[in-house]
Amino acid sequence: MTTAVRDESTVRNAAPLARKREPEIPLSTKPYRLVSRETQPAPTIVDVAGVPVGGETFVVMAGPCAVETEEGIVEAARGVKRLGAHILRGGAYKPRSSPYSFQGHKAEGLRRLSRAREITGLPIVTELMSAADVEAVAACADLIQIGARNSQNTALLCEAARSGKPVLLKRGMCGTIEEWLMSAEYIVANGNPNVILCERGIRSFETMTRNTLDLSAVVAAKQETHLPVIVDPSHGTGRRDFVIPMARAAVAAGADGLLLEAHPHPETALCDGDQSLTLEMFAQLMEEIAPIVEVMGKSLRVGPTTSTEQLSFSGT
Ligand code: PEP
Ligand code: MN
């Protein structure tokens, strides 16, 4: 779908006849028109290299926070695939709070991700941080992630939209649900309808968790929009021991999938080891969410990458 973007005041002030002549942007009582359920009641299903996200499926995206060595990302990819993950995550460009922390292997990280896809067949989700890298990231990613820190970077949203790749849009850590949906609107209004929303926790006064995972945002976003909504309980809590319970809760809240940090050796991880699941824990998570996914009327058996055998854990 390609739509022209118009100034809101043009629409508001337009005479009724003029409005009729410009049907490409629907009028809506909401500030986010194209992503609103008013405009499209049926759920959008986003095709991520053959994996349908939204509708009846429940999609699990898992892998390390950052791409480390080639052997490391291949081991992680093989591990999460065997246990039932549908999409491999891994950051090549890392947004770090400190300039002295590991910033990611960048172009070389993208190459290692592509290698992991070649070997396992898993589609890739990876973050785009700068418009300067859009071509390189789009050439590797099956799903381009816009991180929490860039959730309202409208220039970057437009670049990601124009790449033609599906976009995973995280909620800003201080962003309201309405602001998050308006960011999604930027992408759709710039010609790219393939947007997946991701709740990843918001900043609150609480210090026991890294962020406060707002599962009511899943309910709100699913009510307000037709876009798929997934949950990241890894950044949402910052604690490995909280990830499985909050993943179960996310499924029960109606999420369409999960984005999880899982690492074969989290104690050696260059980034976010404390919140990364071991592969044993990832296996447990997959087992524990399965009956809840079923109760919610969804299926974990999606796309070409899952099979019954892959759902049983047999060591690393
Ligand atoms: C990530 O998923 O790698 C990440 C940096 O998350 P967020 O943008 O939610 O902090
Ligand atoms: Mn991380």
Side-chain angles (χ1 to χ4, degrees), residues 37 171 177 180-181 197 199 214-225 227 229-231 249-256 296:
R37 279 247 187 226
R171 180 180 178 187
I177 295 167
W180 185 29
L181 301 185
L197 298 167
E199 161 61 35
D214 179 11
L215 291 181
S216 65
V218 175
V219 182
K222 296 279 299 178
Q223 242 172 50
E224 289 295 305
T225 84
L227 298 175
V229 182
I230 71 166
V231 170
V251 183
D256 295 298
M296 295 305 292

Side-chain angles (χ1 to χ4, degrees), residues 47-49 117 122-126 137-138 140-144 165-166:
D47 181 338
V48 180
R117 174 181 41 211
L122 285 180
I124 302 290
V125 56
T126 197
V137 172
C140 166
D142 298 293
L143 175 60
I144 293 182
K165 287 290 169 89

Side-chain angles (χ1 to χ4, degrees), residues 80-138:
V80 298
K81 178 179 176 176
R82 189 178 69 246
L83 299 169
H86 310 97
I87 295 175
L88 175 67
R89 69 147 286 150
Y93 297 84
K94 292 305 306 173
R96 305 304 301 277
S97 301
S98 164
Y100 307 117
S101 300
F102 175 59
Q103 306 284 311
H105 287 304
K106 305 188 169 75
E108 174 58 20
L110 294 175
R111 195 196 60 75
R112 293 174 189 174
L113 274 173
S114 301
R115 186 79 192 114
R117 174 181 41 211
E118 247 170 60
I119 293 171
T120 63
L122 285 180
I124 302 290
V125 56
T126 197
E127 181 163 351
L128 171 69
M129 282 175 55
S130 159
D133 303 318
V134 69
E135 263 179 52
V137 172

Side-chain angles (χ1 to χ4, degrees), residues 227-247:
L227 298 175
V229 182
I230 71 166
V231 170
D232 173 354
S234 307
H235 294 90
T237 63
R239 294 181 52 159
R240 182 185 303 139
D241 57 337
F242 280 28
V243 169
I244 295 177
M246 294 313 283

Side-chain angles (χ1 to χ4, degrees), residues 149-207:
R149 291 156 190 79
N150 276 313
S151 193
Q152 288 187 291
N153 181 339
T154 54
L156 192 64
L157 295 174
C158 294
E159 282 299 323
R162 285 194 280 268
S163 76
K165 287 290 169 89
V167 179
L168 178 69
L169 176 65
K170 289 213 171 181
R171 180 180 178 187
M173 63 186 82
C174 297
T176 65
I177 295 167
E178 186 174 281
E179 285 165 342
W180 185 29
L181 301 185
M182 301 259 251
S183 291
E185 185 80 10
Y186 261 94
I187 301 168
V188 180
N190 278 278
N192 189 339
N194 299 309
V195 181
I196 302 166
L197 298 167
C198 180
E199 161 61 35
R200 50 78 71 201
I202 50 177
R203 185 157 278 185
S204 78
F205 53 80
E206 185 51 66
T207 55

Side-chain angles (χ1 to χ4, degrees), residues 47-68:
D47 181 338
V48 180
V51 176
V53 184
E56 314 270 275
T57 63
F58 192 89
V59 169
V60 178
M61 311 181 189
C65 177
V67 181
E68 299 172 2

